[in-house]
Amino acid sequence: MKTKFEKVALPYATDALEPVMSKRTIEFHYGKHHQAYVDNLNRLAAGTKFENADLITVVKESDGAIFNNAGQVYNHDLFFTSFKKGGGGEPTGALAKAIKEQFGSFEQFKEQFNAAGVALFGSGWVWLAKDANGKLSIEKEGGAGNPITKGLTPILGFDVWEHAYYLDFQNRRGDHLKELWNIIDWETIGKRYA
Ligand code: MN
């Protein structure tokens, strides 16, 4: 029996992603914001049919406050496991091929992805997702939204809530999104596509 929802362990030190993502941003974003979603979910799910459900089931089947917090736990687990010290570069293998087929080139994909993130009004997420046939798409979602609720599989998500970048970039969301590509762990992202 599952006891509690928990957040994913960080696969790197809190200062490993500097200067793109500062230790202070990780301490607040992972340490406080992500933790608050976990704590809220545990409190809200207690005594409901979701109390012992796995996280993806909660994301698929809940709504309202439970969905908002479950979605954010899932989204941040995926987000914080997308980076590594000395990351960046380009994807390889099947994911590289699919990106080229869908977007023309890796550069064009990044441009479209960044543009979607900048254009998203308010708080939310920009996603790279795949469908059942492996076809890729860029999805914009407000709030805690993610591609799972559309029957798609999330491959990569950038958090465009201000709490993700305000300490390091203030209002410059576009600059933050451009820098994130320099810390991506493409080996991990590639496994999500495979
Ligand atoms: Mn966040």
Side-chain angles (χ1 to χ4, degrees):
M1 183 179 131
K2 193 166 71 54
T3 50
K4 276 189 167 214
F5 295 99
E6 292 179 348
K7 66 182 177 182
V8 73
L10 269 193
Y12 40 77
T14 51
D15 63 354
L17 306 180
E18 292 198 344
V20 174
M21 202 182 287
S22 69
K23 182 174 196 285
R24 188 167 154 81
T25 284
I26 300 235
E27 284 171 352
F28 273 88
H29 194 190
Y30 174 79
K32 297 190 187 294
H33 290 279
H34 193 179
Q35 189 61 50
Y37 296 128
V38 171
D39 294 344
N40 288 339
L41 178 58
N42 280 314
R43 180 172 48 79
L44 292 164
T48 76
K49 64 177 179 176
F50 297 116
E51 186 166 17
N52 294 306
D54 65 88
L55 184 59
I56 288 185
T57 301
V58 184
V59 169
K60 282 180 180 166
E61 298 182 4
S62 67
D63 55 21
I66 292 183
F67 171 79
N68 287 337
N69 286 282
Q72 287 293 69
V73 173
Y74 178 89
N75 297 352
H76 286 86
D77 280 357
L78 200 90
F79 179 75
F80 283 114
T81 53
S82 298
F83 309 113
K84 69 171 186 181
K85 188 178 181 69
E90 296 194 11
T92 57
L95 177 58
K97 187 164 173 277
I99 285 175
K100 195 172 179 201
E101 275 171 15
Q102 192 63 36
F103 303 102
S105 69
F106 179 61
E107 285 304 316
Q108 283 176 291
F109 157 66
K110 279 199 295 185
E111 273 177 37
Q112 286 183 39
F113 196 92
N114 289 347
V118 168
L120 199 155
F121 184 77
S123 298
W125 294 78
V126 56
W127 295 98
L128 176 66
K130 71 167 181 178
D131 71 9
N133 299 315
K135 184 174 183 247
L136 293 171
S137 60
I138 293 171
E139 306 289 333
K140 287 195 286 187
E141 297 283 343
N146 66 48
I148 290 175
T149 56
K150 295 174 176 168
L152 302 171
T153 302
I155 306 293
L156 176 66
F158 283 1
D159 185 348
V160 301
W161 286 58
E162 283 187 344
H163 69 221
Y165 57 87
Y166 213 84
L167 291 174
D168 296 332
F169 291 85
Q170 293 77 52
N171 60 322
R172 294 176 291 117
R173 183 194 286 182
D175 291 344
H176 166 68
L177 296 178
K178 278 183 200 163
E179 288 294 322
L180 283 180
W181 301 104
N182 295 320
I183 53 172
I184 298 285
D185 177 359
W186 282 113
E187 194 184 337
T188 296
I189 308 300
K191 284 179 192 157
R192 292 177 190 158
Y193 179 74

